[in-house]
Amino acid sequence: MGSARRRTLTNWGRAIKRDVHALYLAARDPRVPRLVKLLAIAVAAYALSPIDLIPDFIPVLGYLDDLVIVPMGILLVVRLIPEEVMDEHRAAAAAAAERPVSRVAAAVIVALWIAGAILAGHFLIKFVAWLPS
């Protein structure tokens, strides 16, 4: 794959990611009509969800939703949002993507999940011990 083509695909992927974040922001904006807000939430949630309409392990069709359905949904909702509102939220989403990622915060969240799993396991073991044989 050529360098120019790779750059084009990378830019397209970044634009999709930015627009998904912008749709999330637009869904919280009072200037956007309610029905469009619901569509924006649905498209952003589907794009960010690990659950696909068509599972990825199905040959060819598995990636269809990632390559066609998500971009078409984004395109539809972006056209329904007023242009000045979408431009504002695209700029905010691009600025958010430029912010540095806090590795300390990520480590704290992972530690909390591990502690929660250990605590849940502890309570499960205690609960099973109370069950009659």
Side-chain angles (χ1 to χ4, degrees):
M1 182 182 288
S3 177
R5 186 176 189 144
R6 188 174 307 126
R7 260 194 313 270
T8 302
L9 289 174
T10 302
N11 290 340
W12 184 69
R14 286 185 183 137
I16 293 284
K17 183 178 176 182
R18 182 204 61 215
D19 280 354
V20 168
H21 188 186
L23 287 179
Y24 166 75
L25 295 173
R28 298 170 47 193
D29 192 310
R31 297 173 289 178
V32 176
R34 283 191 183 171
L35 180 59
V36 178
K37 284 182 181 187
L38 291 174
L39 287 172
I41 290 170
V43 169
Y46 184 76
L48 298 173
S49 172
I51 300 170
D52 288 339
L53 184 64
I54 305 167
D56 288 342
F57 62 82
I58 298 174
V60 181
L61 294 178
Y63 293 105
L64 181 67
D65 61 343
D66 297 328
L67 296 175
V68 176
I69 296 173
V70 171
M72 293 301 283
I74 291 170
L75 183 65
L76 170 72
V77 177
V78 164
R79 288 183 179 213
L80 295 174
I81 295 173
E83 190 173 338
E84 64 278 355
V85 174
M86 195 62 200
D87 289 342
E88 179 183 322
H89 293 304
R90 277 184 174 143
E98 297 296 322
R99 278 188 244 144
V101 176
S102 173
R103 298 199 191 283
V104 173
V108 167
I109 290 170
V110 169
L112 287 172
W113 274 99
I114 291 171
I118 291 170
L119 190 62
H122 175 73
F123 284 125
L124 184 63
I125 290 170
K126 293 292 183 182
F127 176 72
V128 170
W130 280 93
L131 291 176
S133 299

Short mmCIF file of all heavy atoms in Angstrom, two decimals, residues 45-107:
data_model
loop_
_atom_site.label_atom_id
_atom_site.label_comp_id
_atom_site.label_asym_id
_atom_site.label_seq_id
_atom_site.Cartn_x
_atom_site.Cartn_y
_atom_site.Cartn_z
N ALA A 45 -23.22 5.77 19.91
CA ALA A 45 -23.18 4.58 20.75
C ALA A 45 -22.85 3.34 19.92
O ALA A 45 -22.06 2.49 20.35
CB ALA A 45 -24.52 4.39 21.47
N TYR A 46 -23.43 3.22 18.74
CA TYR A 46 -23.15 2.07 17.89
C TYR A 46 -21.70 2.07 17.42
O TYR A 46 -21.05 1.03 17.38
CB TYR A 46 -24.09 2.03 16.68
CG TYR A 46 -23.88 0.79 15.86
CD1 TYR A 46 -24.37 -0.44 16.28
CD2 TYR A 46 -23.16 0.83 14.68
CE1 TYR A 46 -24.16 -1.59 15.54
CE2 TYR A 46 -22.94 -0.32 13.93
CZ TYR A 46 -23.44 -1.52 14.37
OH TYR A 46 -23.22 -2.66 13.65
N ALA A 47 -21.20 3.25 17.06
CA ALA A 47 -19.81 3.35 16.59
C ALA A 47 -18.82 2.99 17.69
O ALA A 47 -17.78 2.40 17.42
CB ALA A 47 -19.54 4.76 16.07
N LEU A 48 -19.15 3.32 18.93
CA LEU A 48 -18.24 3.06 20.05
C LEU A 48 -18.49 1.70 20.71
O LEU A 48 -17.67 1.26 21.51
CB LEU A 48 -18.37 4.17 21.09
CG LEU A 48 -17.99 5.56 20.60
CD1 LEU A 48 -18.32 6.61 21.65
CD2 LEU A 48 -16.53 5.62 20.21
N SER A 49 -19.59 1.07 20.38
CA SER A 49 -19.95 -0.20 21.01
C SER A 49 -19.10 -1.35 20.48
O SER A 49 -18.85 -1.44 19.28
CB SER A 49 -21.43 -0.51 20.74
OG SER A 49 -21.74 -1.80 21.18
N PRO A 50 -18.69 -2.26 21.37
CA PRO A 50 -17.96 -3.43 20.89
C PRO A 50 -18.87 -4.47 20.24
O PRO A 50 -18.41 -5.41 19.62
CB PRO A 50 -17.32 -3.99 22.17
CG PRO A 50 -18.22 -3.54 23.27
CD PRO A 50 -18.78 -2.20 22.82
N ILE A 51 -20.18 -4.29 20.37
CA ILE A 51 -21.14 -5.23 19.78
C ILE A 51 -21.54 -4.71 18.41
O ILE A 51 -21.97 -3.58 18.25
CB ILE A 51 -22.38 -5.37 20.69
CG1 ILE A 51 -21.98 -5.88 22.06
CG2 ILE A 51 -23.41 -6.27 20.05
CD1 ILE A 51 -23.07 -5.83 23.09
N ASP A 52 -21.39 -5.56 17.40
CA ASP A 52 -21.70 -5.18 16.02
C ASP A 52 -23.02 -5.79 15.59
O ASP A 52 -23.42 -6.85 16.06
CB ASP A 52 -20.62 -5.66 15.07
CG ASP A 52 -19.33 -4.87 15.20
OD1 ASP A 52 -19.38 -3.75 15.71
OD2 ASP A 52 -18.28 -5.40 14.79
N LEU A 53 -23.67 -5.12 14.64
CA LEU A 53 -24.88 -5.65 14.04
C LEU A 53 -24.57 -6.96 13.32
O LEU A 53 -25.30 -7.94 13.42
CB LEU A 53 -25.45 -4.62 13.06
CG LEU A 53 -26.77 -4.94 12.39
CD1 LEU A 53 -27.87 -5.02 13.44
CD2 LEU A 53 -27.12 -3.87 11.38
N ILE A 54 -23.45 -6.96 12.61
CA ILE A 54 -22.96 -8.16 11.92
C ILE A 54 -21.62 -8.51 12.57
O ILE A 54 -20.68 -7.72 12.50
CB ILE A 54 -22.76 -7.90 10.42
CG1 ILE A 54 -24.05 -7.36 9.79
CG2 ILE A 54 -22.29 -9.15 9.71
CD1 ILE A 54 -23.87 -6.78 8.41
N PRO A 55 -21.51 -9.68 13.23
CA PRO A 55 -20.25 -10.03 13.90
C PRO A 55 -19.06 -10.02 12.93
O PRO A 55 -19.19 -10.42 11.77
CB PRO A 55 -20.50 -11.44 14.44
CG PRO A 55 -21.99 -11.58 14.48
CD PRO A 55 -22.53 -10.71 13.38
N ASP A 56 -17.91 -9.57 13.41
CA ASP A 56 -16.73 -9.42 12.56
C ASP A 56 -16.17 -10.75 12.06
O ASP A 56 -15.44 -10.78 11.08
CB ASP A 56 -15.63 -8.66 13.31
CG ASP A 56 -15.97 -7.18 13.47
OD1 ASP A 56 -16.85 -6.70 12.73
OD2 ASP A 56 -15.36 -6.53 14.33
N PHE A 57 -16.50 -11.86 12.72
CA PHE A 57 -15.94 -13.14 12.28
C PHE A 57 -16.61 -13.68 11.02
O PHE A 57 -16.14 -14.63 10.41
CB PHE A 57 -15.97 -14.19 13.39
CG PHE A 57 -17.34 -14.55 13.87
CD1 PHE A 57 -18.12 -15.48 13.19
CD2 PHE A 57 -17.85 -13.97 15.02
CE1 PHE A 57 -19.38 -15.81 13.63
CE2 PHE A 57 -19.12 -14.31 15.47
CZ PHE A 57 -19.88 -15.23 14.78
N ILE A 58 -17.71 -13.08 10.60
CA ILE A 58 -18.37 -13.49 9.35
C ILE A 58 -17.57 -12.87 8.19
O ILE A 58 -17.44 -11.65 8.12
CB ILE A 58 -19.84 -13.03 9.31
CG1 ILE A 58 -20.61 -13.70 10.44
CG2 ILE A 58 -20.46 -13.33 7.96
CD1 ILE A 58 -22.03 -13.22 10.59
N PRO A 59 -17.04 -13.71 7.30
CA PRO A 59 -16.19 -13.20 6.22
C PRO A 59 -16.90 -12.12 5.39
O PRO A 59 -18.07 -12.24 5.07
CB PRO A 59 -15.89 -14.43 5.37
CG PRO A 59 -16.12 -15.59 6.28
CD PRO A 59 -17.20 -15.15 7.25
N VAL A 60 -16.19 -11.10 5.06
CA VAL A 60 -16.60 -9.96 4.23
C VAL A 60 -17.71 -9.15 4.89
O VAL A 60 -17.56 -7.96 5.14
CB VAL A 60 -17.00 -10.38 2.80
CG1 VAL A 60 -17.40 -9.17 1.97
CG2 VAL A 60 -15.88 -11.15 2.13
N LEU A 61 -18.83 -9.77 5.21
CA LEU A 61 -19.97 -9.04 5.79
C LEU A 61 -19.67 -8.53 7.20
O LEU A 61 -20.26 -7.55 7.63
CB LEU A 61 -21.20 -9.94 5.84
CG LEU A 61 -21.78 -10.36 4.50
CD1 LEU A 61 -22.96 -11.30 4.70
CD2 LEU A 61 -22.18 -9.17 3.68
N GLY A 62 -18.74 -9.19 7.90
CA GLY A 62 -18.44 -8.82 9.28
C GLY A 62 -17.93 -7.40 9.42
O GLY A 62 -18.22 -6.71 10.40
N TYR A 63 -17.17 -6.96 8.44
CA TYR A 63 -16.63 -5.59 8.51
C TYR A 63 -17.49 -4.59 7.75
O TYR A 63 -17.17 -3.41 7.70
CB TYR A 63 -15.20 -5.57 7.97
CG TYR A 63 -14.26 -6.34 8.88
CD1 TYR A 63 -13.80 -7.59 8.54
CD2 TYR A 63 -13.88 -5.80 10.10
CE1 TYR A 63 -12.95 -8.30 9.38
CE2 TYR A 63 -13.05 -6.49 10.95
CZ TYR A 63 -12.58 -7.75 10.59
OH TYR A 63 -11.76 -8.43 11.42
N LEU A 64 -18.59 -5.05 7.19
CA LEU A 64 -19.48 -4.18 6.42
C LEU A 64 -20.02 -3.04 7.28
O LEU A 64 -20.03 -1.88 6.84
CB LEU A 64 -20.64 -4.99 5.84
CG LEU A 64 -21.63 -4.22 4.99
CD1 LEU A 64 -20.94 -3.76 3.70
CD2 LEU A 64 -22.82 -5.09 4.66
N ASP A 65 -20.43 -3.35 8.51
CA ASP A 65 -20.98 -2.28 9.36
C ASP A 65 -19.91 -1.26 9.72
O ASP A 65 -20.18 -0.08 9.80
CB ASP A 65 -21.66 -2.85 10.59
CG ASP A 65 -20.72 -3.64 11.48
OD1 ASP A 65 -19.63 -4.02 11.02
OD2 ASP A 65 -21.09 -3.89 12.64
N ASP A 66 -18.67 -1.72 9.93
CA ASP A 66 -17.60 -0.79 10.28
C ASP A 66 -17.21 0.10 9.10
O ASP A 66 -16.85 1.26 9.29
CB ASP A 66 -16.36 -1.55 10.76
CG ASP A 66 -16.64 -2.35 12.03
OD1 ASP A 66 -17.48 -1.89 12.83
OD2 ASP A 66 -16.04 -3.42 12.21
N LEU A 67 -17.29 -0.44 7.91
CA LEU A 67 -16.84 0.31 6.73
C LEU A 67 -17.95 1.05 6.00
O LEU A 67 -17.67 1.99 5.25
CB LEU A 67 -16.16 -0.65 5.74
CG LEU A 67 -14.88 -1.30 6.26
CD1 LEU A 67 -14.37 -2.32 5.26
CD2 LEU A 67 -13.82 -0.26 6.53
N VAL A 68 -19.21 0.65 6.19
CA VAL A 68 -20.31 1.27 5.45
C VAL A 68 -21.38 1.85 6.38
O VAL A 68 -21.71 3.03 6.28
CB VAL A 68 -20.95 0.25 4.46
CG1 VAL A 68 -22.14 0.87 3.76
CG2 VAL A 68 -19.92 -0.23 3.46
N ILE A 69 -21.90 1.03 7.27
CA ILE A 69 -23.04 1.45 8.09
C ILE A 69 -22.69 2.61 9.01
O ILE A 69 -23.41 3.61 9.08
CB ILE A 69 -23.61 0.26 8.88
CG1 ILE A 69 -24.16 -0.79 7.91
CG2 ILE A 69 -24.68 0.71 9.86
CD1 ILE A 69 -24.58 -2.08 8.56
N VAL A 70 -21.56 2.51 9.72
CA VAL A 70 -21.16 3.58 10.65
C VAL A 70 -20.91 4.90 9.90
O VAL A 70 -21.47 5.93 10.27
CB VAL A 70 -19.96 3.16 11.52
CG1 VAL A 70 -19.42 4.34 12.30
CG2 VAL A 70 -20.36 2.04 12.46
N PRO A 71 -20.08 4.91 8.84
CA PRO A 71 -19.89 6.18 8.13
C PRO A 71 -21.17 6.75 7.53
O PRO A 71 -21.38 7.97 7.53
CB PRO A 71 -18.88 5.84 7.02
CG PRO A 71 -18.15 4.65 7.54
CD PRO A 71 -19.16 3.88 8.35
N MET A 72 -22.06 5.88 7.03
CA MET A 72 -23.33 6.37 6.47
C MET A 72 -24.21 6.97 7.57
O MET A 72 -24.87 7.98 7.35
CB MET A 72 -24.07 5.25 5.74
CG MET A 72 -23.35 4.78 4.48
SD MET A 72 -23.11 6.09 3.29
CE MET A 72 -24.74 6.18 2.61
N GLY A 73 -24.23 6.34 8.73
CA GLY A 73 -24.99 6.88 9.87
C GLY A 73 -24.45 8.23 10.30
O GLY A 73 -25.21 9.17 10.57
N ILE A 74 -23.13 8.33 10.35
CA ILE A 74 -22.51 9.60 10.72
C ILE A 74 -22.85 10.67 9.69
O ILE A 74 -23.24 11.79 10.05
CB ILE A 74 -20.98 9.43 10.86
CG1 ILE A 74 -20.65 8.57 12.08
CG2 ILE A 74 -20.28 10.78 10.95
CD1 ILE A 74 -19.20 8.14 12.15
N LEU A 75 -22.74 10.32 8.42
CA LEU A 75 -23.05 11.28 7.35
C LEU A 75 -24.49 11.76 7.44
O LEU A 75 -24.77 12.96 7.32
CB LEU A 75 -22.78 10.64 5.99
CG LEU A 75 -22.98 11.52 4.77
CD1 LEU A 75 -21.97 12.66 4.78
CD2 LEU A 75 -22.83 10.70 3.51
N LEU A 76 -25.42 10.84 7.68
CA LEU A 76 -26.83 11.21 7.80
C LEU A 76 -27.07 12.19 8.95
O LEU A 76 -27.69 13.23 8.77
CB LEU A 76 -27.69 9.96 8.01
CG LEU A 76 -29.15 10.21 8.37
CD1 LEU A 76 -29.91 10.73 7.16
CD2 LEU A 76 -29.78 8.97 8.93
N VAL A 77 -26.55 11.85 10.12
CA VAL A 77 -26.80 12.69 11.30
C VAL A 77 -26.08 14.03 11.16
O VAL A 77 -26.63 15.07 11.54
CB VAL A 77 -26.40 11.95 12.60
CG1 VAL A 77 -26.57 12.85 13.80
CG2 VAL A 77 -27.22 10.69 12.76
N VAL A 78 -24.87 14.04 10.61
CA VAL A 78 -24.15 15.30 10.42
C VAL A 78 -24.94 16.24 9.52
O VAL A 78 -24.99 17.45 9.77
CB VAL A 78 -22.73 15.02 9.86
CG1 VAL A 78 -22.10 16.28 9.29
CG2 VAL A 78 -21.84 14.42 10.94
N ARG A 79 -25.59 15.69 8.51
CA ARG A 79 -26.40 16.54 7.61
C ARG A 79 -27.64 17.09 8.29
O ARG A 79 -28.17 18.11 7.87
CB ARG A 79 -26.79 15.76 6.36
CG ARG A 79 -25.61 15.54 5.46
CD ARG A 79 -26.01 14.84 4.21
NE ARG A 79 -24.83 14.67 3.36
CZ ARG A 79 -24.87 14.68 2.06
NH1 ARG A 79 -26.01 14.84 1.44
NH2 ARG A 79 -23.78 14.52 1.37
N LEU A 80 -28.12 16.43 9.34
CA LEU A 80 -29.31 16.89 10.05
C LEU A 80 -28.99 17.94 11.11
O LEU A 80 -29.89 18.64 11.57
CB LEU A 80 -30.02 15.70 10.70
CG LEU A 80 -30.59 14.65 9.74
CD1 LEU A 80 -31.12 13.46 10.52
CD2 LEU A 80 -31.67 15.26 8.87
N ILE A 81 -27.73 18.03 11.52
CA ILE A 81 -27.32 19.00 12.54
C ILE A 81 -26.96 20.31 11.83
O ILE A 81 -26.30 20.29 10.79
CB ILE A 81 -26.11 18.46 13.33
CG1 ILE A 81 -26.53 17.22 14.12
CG2 ILE A 81 -25.54 19.51 14.27
CD1 ILE A 81 -25.38 16.50 14.80
N PRO A 82 -27.39 21.45 12.39
CA PRO A 82 -27.03 22.74 11.77
C PRO A 82 -25.51 22.86 11.59
O PRO A 82 -24.74 22.45 12.46
CB PRO A 82 -27.55 23.77 12.77
CG PRO A 82 -28.66 23.07 13.51
CD PRO A 82 -28.25 21.63 13.57
N GLU A 83 -25.10 23.39 10.45
CA GLU A 83 -23.68 23.40 10.07
C GLU A 83 -22.80 24.13 11.08
O GLU A 83 -21.72 23.64 11.43
CB GLU A 83 -23.54 24.06 8.69
CG GLU A 83 -22.15 23.91 8.11
CD GLU A 83 -22.07 24.41 6.69
OE1 GLU A 83 -23.10 24.48 6.01
OE2 GLU A 83 -20.94 24.72 6.27
N GLU A 84 -23.25 25.29 11.59
CA GLU A 84 -22.43 26.04 12.54
C GLU A 84 -22.27 25.27 13.87
O GLU A 84 -21.22 25.32 14.50
CB GLU A 84 -22.98 27.45 12.80
CG GLU A 84 -24.34 27.52 13.45
CD GLU A 84 -25.51 27.34 12.48
OE1 GLU A 84 -25.29 27.25 11.25
OE2 GLU A 84 -26.65 27.28 12.96
N VAL A 85 -23.31 24.55 14.26
CA VAL A 85 -23.23 23.74 15.48
C VAL A 85 -22.25 22.59 15.28
O VAL A 85 -21.40 22.31 16.13
CB VAL A 85 -24.63 23.20 15.87
CG1 VAL A 85 -24.55 22.25 17.05
CG2 VAL A 85 -25.57 24.35 16.18
N MET A 86 -22.32 21.93 14.13
CA MET A 86 -21.43 20.80 13.86
C MET A 86 -19.98 21.27 13.75
O MET A 86 -19.08 20.60 14.27
CB MET A 86 -21.87 20.09 12.58
CG MET A 86 -21.25 18.75 12.41
SD MET A 86 -21.73 17.63 13.73
CE MET A 86 -20.43 16.44 13.60
N ASP A 87 -19.75 22.42 13.13
CA ASP A 87 -18.39 22.96 13.04
C ASP A 87 -17.81 23.23 14.42
O ASP A 87 -16.65 22.94 14.69
CB ASP A 87 -18.36 24.24 12.20
CG ASP A 87 -18.60 23.99 10.72
OD1 ASP A 87 -18.44 22.82 10.29
OD2 ASP A 87 -18.96 24.95 10.01
N GLU A 88 -18.65 23.79 15.30
CA GLU A 88 -18.22 24.08 16.67
C GLU A 88 -17.83 22.79 17.41
O GLU A 88 -16.80 22.73 18.08
CB GLU A 88 -19.36 24.79 17.40
CG GLU A 88 -19.10 25.13 18.83
CD GLU A 88 -20.33 25.76 19.47
OE1 GLU A 88 -21.04 26.54 18.80
OE2 GLU A 88 -20.59 25.44 20.65
N HIS A 89 -18.65 21.76 17.26
CA HIS A 89 -18.38 20.51 17.97
C HIS A 89 -17.23 19.72 17.34
O HIS A 89 -16.51 19.01 18.04
CB HIS A 89 -19.65 19.68 18.08
CG HIS A 89 -20.67 20.31 18.97
ND1 HIS A 89 -20.40 20.65 20.28
CD2 HIS A 89 -21.93 20.70 18.75
CE1 HIS A 89 -21.46 21.20 20.82
NE2 HIS A 89 -22.41 21.26 19.90
N ARG A 90 -17.04 19.86 16.04
CA ARG A 90 -15.87 19.24 15.39
C ARG A 90 -14.59 19.86 15.93
O ARG A 90 -13.61 19.16 16.18
CB ARG A 90 -15.94 19.40 13.88
CG ARG A 90 -16.79 18.37 13.21
CD ARG A 90 -16.73 18.53 11.71
NE ARG A 90 -17.45 17.46 11.04
CZ ARG A 90 -18.16 17.60 9.95
NH1 ARG A 90 -18.26 18.80 9.38
NH2 ARG A 90 -18.78 16.58 9.41
N ALA A 91 -14.60 21.18 16.09
CA ALA A 91 -13.42 21.86 16.63
C ALA A 91 -13.15 21.41 18.07
O ALA A 91 -12.00 21.17 18.45
CB ALA A 91 -13.61 23.38 16.58
N ALA A 92 -14.22 21.27 18.86
CA ALA A 92 -14.05 20.82 20.24
C ALA A 92 -13.54 19.38 20.29
O ALA A 92 -12.69 19.03 21.11
CB ALA A 92 -15.38 20.94 20.99
N ALA A 93 -14.04 18.54 19.40
CA ALA A 93 -13.60 17.14 19.35
C ALA A 93 -12.13 17.05 18.91
O ALA A 93 -11.37 16.24 19.45
CB ALA A 93 -14.49 16.33 18.42
N ALA A 94 -11.74 17.88 17.94
CA ALA A 94 -10.34 17.88 17.49
C ALA A 94 -9.43 18.36 18.61
O ALA A 94 -8.34 17.82 18.81
CB ALA A 94 -10.19 18.76 16.26
N ALA A 95 -9.87 19.37 19.37
CA ALA A 95 -9.07 19.87 20.49
C ALA A 95 -8.94 18.80 21.57
O ALA A 95 -7.88 18.64 22.18
CB ALA A 95 -9.69 21.14 21.07
N ALA A 96 -10.01 18.05 21.81
CA ALA A 96 -9.97 16.98 22.82
C ALA A 96 -9.02 15.87 22.39
O ALA A 96 -8.35 15.27 23.24
CB ALA A 96 -11.36 16.42 23.04
N ALA A 97 -8.94 15.60 21.10
CA ALA A 97 -8.03 14.55 20.61
C ALA A 97 -6.57 14.96 20.77
O ALA A 97 -5.70 14.10 20.88
CB ALA A 97 -8.34 14.25 19.15
N GLU A 98 -6.30 16.25 20.81
CA GLU A 98 -4.93 16.74 20.96
C GLU A 98 -4.45 16.72 22.41
O GLU A 98 -3.25 16.79 22.65
CB GLU A 98 -4.83 18.18 20.42
CG GLU A 98 -5.12 18.29 18.94
CD GLU A 98 -4.09 17.54 18.10
OE1 GLU A 98 -2.90 17.57 18.45
OE2 GLU A 98 -4.50 16.92 17.10
N ARG A 99 -5.38 16.64 23.35
CA ARG A 99 -4.98 16.64 24.76
C ARG A 99 -4.20 15.37 25.09
O ARG A 99 -4.51 14.30 24.59
CB ARG A 99 -6.22 16.71 25.67
CG ARG A 99 -6.71 18.12 25.83
CD ARG A 99 -7.79 18.18 26.87
NE ARG A 99 -8.99 18.59 26.15
CZ ARG A 99 -10.20 18.18 26.38
NH1 ARG A 99 -10.44 17.33 27.32
NH2 ARG A 99 -11.20 18.62 25.66
N PRO A 100 -3.22 15.49 25.98
CA PRO A 100 -2.46 14.30 26.35
C PRO A 100 -3.31 13.33 27.18
O PRO A 100 -4.25 13.72 27.86
CB PRO A 100 -1.31 14.85 27.20
CG PRO A 100 -1.78 16.18 27.68
CD PRO A 100 -2.74 16.69 26.63
N VAL A 101 -2.97 12.06 27.08
CA VAL A 101 -3.68 11.01 27.80
C VAL A 101 -2.99 10.81 29.15
O VAL A 101 -1.77 10.72 29.22
CB VAL A 101 -3.66 9.69 26.98
CG1 VAL A 101 -4.31 8.58 27.76
CG2 VAL A 101 -4.33 9.90 25.65
N SER A 102 -3.76 10.74 30.20
CA SER A 102 -3.20 10.55 31.53
C SER A 102 -3.04 9.06 31.81
O SER A 102 -4.01 8.34 32.01
CB SER A 102 -4.12 11.19 32.58
OG SER A 102 -3.66 10.86 33.87
N ARG A 103 -1.81 8.62 31.87
CA ARG A 103 -1.54 7.21 32.16
C ARG A 103 -1.80 6.92 33.64
O ARG A 103 -2.18 5.81 33.98
CB ARG A 103 -0.12 6.86 31.78
CG ARG A 103 0.11 7.03 30.29
CD ARG A 103 1.33 6.28 29.82
NE ARG A 103 1.71 6.62 28.46
CZ ARG A 103 1.12 6.19 27.38
NH1 ARG A 103 0.09 5.40 27.48
NH2 ARG A 103 1.54 6.54 26.18
N VAL A 104 -1.62 7.91 34.50
CA VAL A 104 -1.89 7.72 35.92
C VAL A 104 -3.38 7.47 36.13
O VAL A 104 -3.78 6.57 36.87
CB VAL A 104 -1.41 8.95 36.74
CG1 VAL A 104 -1.83 8.84 38.19
CG2 VAL A 104 0.10 9.11 36.63
N ALA A 105 -4.22 8.25 35.46
CA ALA A 105 -5.66 8.06 35.59
C ALA A 105 -6.07 6.69 35.06
O ALA A 105 -6.91 6.01 35.66
CB ALA A 105 -6.41 9.16 34.84
N ALA A 106 -5.47 6.26 33.97
CA ALA A 106 -5.77 4.93 33.43
C ALA A 106 -5.36 3.85 34.42
O ALA A 106 -6.09 2.87 34.63
CB ALA A 106 -5.06 4.73 32.09
N ALA A 107 -4.20 4.01 35.05
CA ALA A 107 -3.74 3.02 36.03
C ALA A 107 -4.68 2.98 37.24
O ALA A 107 -4.97 1.90 37.77
CB ALA A 107 -2.32 3.35 36.48
#
